[in-house]
Amino acid sequence: MPVEKEWRLREAADPAIVAQLAAELGIDPVLSSLLVHRGIRSFEEARLFFRPSLDFLHDPFLMKDMDRAVDRISRAVSSGEKILIYGDYDVDGTTAVSLVYSFLRKITGKIDFYIPDRYDEGYGVSAKGIDWAADNGFSLIITLDCGIKAIEKVEYARSKGIDVIVCDHHLPEIEIPKAVAVLDPKREDCNYPFDDLSGCGVGFKLVQAYSQRHGIPFENLLPLLDLLVVSIASDLVTVTGENRVLAHFGLKMLNERPRTGLKTMIEFSNLEPGHITIDDIVFKIGPRINAAGRMESGRLAVELLTSENPAEALEVGRKINDNNNERKSIDREITAQAFDMVQNGTCCCSGNAVVVYAPDWNKGVVGIVASRLVEKYYKPTFVLTRSNGFVTGSARSVRGFDLYEAISSCADLLENYGGHIYAAGLTLREENLDEFVTRIDKYVGEHINEEMATPVVDVDSEINFSQITPKFCRILKQFQPFGPGNSSPVFLTKNVYDNGTGRKVGPGGQHLKLEMIQESQPYHQISAIAFNMADLFAHIHNGNPVDICYSIVENYFRGNSTIQLRIKDMREREDINL
């Protein structure tokens, strides 16, 4: 059974500040409270929050090694050297490669890109990629979304006469690669004011710096921002500070003037042009781009994102959409098998951690399956398969538990690993699997606490349906773009009913489409969608009340806009102490 979530109401903000801000802005105190919790206490701070400006972007030359990177690219361009743009096969990597490649190909014709094969080469800079660069006469490689740990590979490239510029956003080890330049805002010796850029974001700062140096107007870079917002949304970096500005203007570009390839993805995703949100990227556009690297080749994604030919983009886009459909089918099949393993006790482990292993699973979807298992069992989870003679796979964590540290504790058993607190990948020899399972389960048991092991729904405010007015929704919309650090507000409303027309929807009827009414309030019916909550259908259909936690979203269909509640959690009616 899924673990029951704890509903945790946010501590109330200072009532005097909330009231004063509400009066100054002319808004509901609930919305004023949301602003105060985001550190906004005055009219001017609210204005800056609601009206992001490109003037807020930082000088790219504040990033360590940026001057060296720009100098080396400038020299390569002026002397006619061949430049290779090298990036990871996921959304962040392929958008980063597409961004830098799109920019530089207008400056030099001696440029190409390289995306490693997920199955043959794995993550990061590969010897095969360096050999390909050497064989084809490249003397400069720019890595994007990878390279910060490629100490040996950078040395190998240098031995082949190839210089490397590393552009990465992952946490470095103590030793930094001896590259021409290493751009990573997470470097300890880097004083760049914002350290949570995506890999594509670091690439954008590189082209921004090159433009400043060579007198290229900043306006020329604006068409690149649609790629950047796709990376920010998909890589789940914080949507605060510089990322909030970049995401805001990226969404504007994506909605008003998307590049040919993204326009194709918007059409395949059945999205309403002009009304695309961060959620649409996370759930529709991003997974399609990711599917290219999962099922076939990340190179397809870059071909799509850099295409300026609508017919060509349509052809590549159709391939990628087919990849995504295949990915979803395989994902469902493997997820069902993994659930069965845990339920019937044939998994490697389901105590403190969940570890499942099947040698024939598709390596491209194991990360997605791990996320599904965390949703259901709420334990640090490892989903492993076999590839190139090794056991390899992905891991996902629960809130507050440092997965990377856990995996690092077993480094002596691993061939390779990488990632961060909530998501990681690892490779090991099959003979080390049993010892790894034993040790990782022990480590989790010793380092996880009850707080980490309890899934929580953070509730911003309890409200009544009558408060959800058009003005309320209009102002709430201006809190976007949402994401980590600026999450879509979650509200609690008690004692609500379906009007009797509720039904099961989606594959296998796993979701609920409802029309909700609140008892004791003026009649105020609101549409709602509850994903994966079909087990409550009988209770609701019989006219019984529920308490719900939800976010408020705007739905567009055929030119019509409607307000919908996206239910996060739902309980049969009872007195809940929050």
Side-chain angles (χ1 to χ4, degrees):
M1 287 289 293
V3 182
E4 185 171 296
K5 298 180 176 73
E6 177 187 339
W7 295 4
R8 192 175 294 168
L9 189 61
R10 185 189 287 274
E11 188 176 333
D14 186 316
I17 297 174
V18 169
Q20 181 179 338
L21 190 59
E24 287 180 3
L25 298 174
I27 61 174
D28 189 304
V30 169
L31 297 171
S32 172
S33 177
L34 294 175
L35 289 172
V36 173
H37 279 302
R38 283 159 172 76
I40 296 161
R41 294 173 170 240
S42 69
F43 181 91
E44 180 59 19
E45 287 173 344
R47 187 185 69 80
L48 295 176
F49 177 78
F50 286 130
R51 302 287 182 269
S53 169
L54 290 166
D55 293 336
F56 297 164
L57 297 184
H58 304 301
D59 180 352
F61 286 100
L62 293 174
M63 195 176 295
K64 176 80 173 176
D65 280 3
M66 185 62 81
D67 52 345
R68 299 173 64 184
V70 171
D71 287 345
R72 184 63 186 90
I73 295 171
S74 301
R75 194 168 83 244
V77 170
S78 63
S79 60
E81 295 179 59
K82 292 182 74 175
I83 304 172
L84 184 66
I85 313 300
Y86 187 114
D88 190 23
Y89 38 69
D90 67 3
V91 180
D92 193 17
T94 53
T95 53
V97 168
S98 300
L99 187 150
V100 176
Y101 177 76
S102 295
F103 175 81
L104 286 179
R105 74 174 173 183
K106 293 180 178 177
I107 295 166
T108 174
K110 296 194 171 181
I111 188 167
D112 204 347
F113 63 87
Y114 187 96
I115 305 291
D117 183 87
R118 178 188 288 266
Y119 303 97
D120 182 38
E121 297 165 81
Y123 171 80
V125 183
S126 70
K128 182 177 178 180
I130 294 168
D131 288 341
W132 187 89
D135 292 344
N136 288 276
F138 291 90
S139 55
L140 176 61
I141 294 176
I142 301 173
T143 76
L144 291 152
D145 191 34
C146 61
I148 195 63
K149 296 182 181 178
I151 293 164
E152 293 177 2
K153 297 299 191 300
V154 168
E155 283 295 322
Y156 181 61
R158 193 158 65 171
S159 75
K160 296 261 185 180
I162 301 172
D163 285 342
V164 178
I165 294 171
V166 171
C167 302
D168 205 345
H169 70 130
H170 295 99
L171 197 63
E173 302 285 6
I174 294 172
E175 186 180 356
I176 298 288
K178 292 183 174 61
V180 169
V182 178
L183 307 180
D184 188 332
K186 290 189 175 71
R187 285 181 63 169
E188 278 196 14
D189 57 351
C190 179
N191 296 318
Y192 191 73
F194 186 76
D195 70 354
D196 202 31
L197 292 168
S198 64
C200 188
V202 177
F204 180 79
K205 300 309 291 189
L206 175 62
V207 302
Q208 183 189 1
Y210 186 94
S211 298
Q212 283 182 205
R213 175 74 60 85
H214 293 278
I216 299 170
F218 185 82
E219 289 69 28
N220 291 19
L221 305 183
L222 294 180
L224 301 173
L225 293 180
D226 57 357
L227 290 169
L228 186 44
V229 72
V230 171
S231 89
I232 289 171
S234 302
D235 217 52
L236 299 178
V237 291
T238 54
V239 186
T240 59
E242 194 165 35
N243 278 346
R244 178 174 167 78
V245 176
L246 293 167
H248 173 87
F249 287 96
L251 279 173
K252 185 175 172 63
M253 186 61 60
L254 189 63
N255 279 296
E256 294 176 3
R257 288 182 289 141
R259 65 188 49 236
T260 304
L262 284 175
K263 187 176 180 183
T264 302
M265 281 294 92
I266 290 166
E267 291 167 359
F268 275 116
S269 302
N270 294 317
L271 294 172
E272 187 92 5
H275 301 286
I276 298 162
T277 66
I278 290 285
D279 268 3
D280 292 326
I281 298 171
V282 171
F283 295 110
K284 300 285 185 70
I285 297 172
R288 282 172 167 79
I289 295 171
N290 242 339
R294 292 184 188 281
M295 309 308 300
E296 190 169 341
S297 168
R299 191 172 178 90
L300 273 180
V302 180
E303 288 174 2
L304 173 75
L305 297 174
T306 57
S307 174
E308 296 178 350
N309 181 317
E312 176 187 84
L314 182 63
E315 183 181 348
V316 178
R318 185 173 287 112
K319 275 188 194 176
I320 289 177
N321 199 57
D322 290 345
N323 286 156
N324 189 54
N325 290 333
E326 182 186 1
R327 186 273 305 165
K328 287 193 286 189
S329 173
I330 292 171
D331 164 17
R332 282 194 293 269
E333 182 181 337
I334 294 177
T335 298
Q337 292 172 11
F339 283 169
D340 286 345
M341 284 181 173
V342 176
Q343 287 160 3
N344 64 29
T346 58
C347 58
C348 300
C349 172
S350 62
N352 300 309
V354 171
V355 185
V356 291
Y357 169 55
D360 58 345
W361 282 345
N362 185 300
K363 182 183 173 185
V365 303
V366 292
I368 301 170
V369 175
S371 295
R372 304 258 194 271
L373 287 163
V374 170
E375 286 172 16
K376 184 160 188 174
Y377 300 107
Y378 208 71
K379 296 177 181 181
T381 297
F382 299 76
V383 179
L384 306 173
T385 184
R386 188 186 292 147
S387 178
N388 296 328
F390 291 96
V391 173
T392 187
S394 292
R396 297 293 183 268
S397 192
V398 298
R399 181 155 122 170
F401 182 79
D402 195 327
L403 189 67
Y404 186 79
E405 283 296 316
I407 294 173
S408 297
S409 74
C410 300
D412 58 303
L413 299 173
L414 305 176
E415 299 298 304
N416 192 19
Y417 69 98
H420 52 79
I421 181 172
Y422 291 122
L426 64 157
T427 300
L428 67 158
R429 296 182 184 276
E430 190 149 14
E431 57 264 31
N432 290 335
L433 179 58
D434 289 344
E435 177 69 11
F436 172 78
V437 171
T438 300
R439 279 170 51 180
I440 204 72
D441 189 61
K442 183 172 184 289
Y443 182 96
V444 173
E446 291 173 349
H447 292 82
I448 202 165
N449 57 38
E450 188 176 348
E451 170 85 4
M452 296 174 188
T454 305
V456 172
V457 178
D458 288 313
V459 179
D460 288 280
S461 183
E462 181 178 347
I463 63 173
N464 293 315
F465 279 176
S466 58
Q467 291 174 261
I468 306 174
T469 63
K471 180 182 177 182
F472 185 95
C473 293
R474 190 170 63 251
I475 295 168
L476 188 63
K477 185 178 178 181
Q478 293 178 50
F479 279 71
Q480 297 183 33
F482 294 128
N486 184 43
S487 298
S488 178
V490 175
F491 302 105
L492 164 67
T493 302
K494 295 179 180 178
N495 209 16
V496 300
Y497 297 79
D498 177 65
N499 74 349
T501 63
R503 63 191 190 276
K504 295 181 182 181
V505 296
Q510 71 217 61
H511 313 312
L512 297 180
K513 182 78 173 66
L514 307 169
E515 295 293 332
M516 307 301 286
I517 304 165
Q518 186 179 11
E519 174 100 314
S520 78
Q521 289 292 309
Y523 189 83
H524 195 104
Q525 181 174 304
I526 306 182
S527 297
I529 186 78
F531 293 111
N532 300 307
M533 296 186 198
D535 53 333
L536 284 168
F537 179 70
H539 176 86
I540 294 169
H541 194 59
N542 288 331
N544 294 310
V546 290
D547 297 334
I548 57 174
C549 293
Y550 57 89
S551 56
I552 300 171
V553 298
E554 195 172 14
N555 262 4
Y556 289 91
F557 184 67
R558 294 178 181 170
N560 294 318
S561 166
T562 57
I563 296 300
Q564 184 182 68
L565 309 184
R566 183 171 293 163
I567 296 177
K568 304 279 186 182
D569 201 22
M570 179 164 32
R571 291 181 184 169
E572 297 178 11
R573 177 76 185 116
E574 60 180 313
D575 290 327
I576 299 173
N577 295 316
L578 288 174

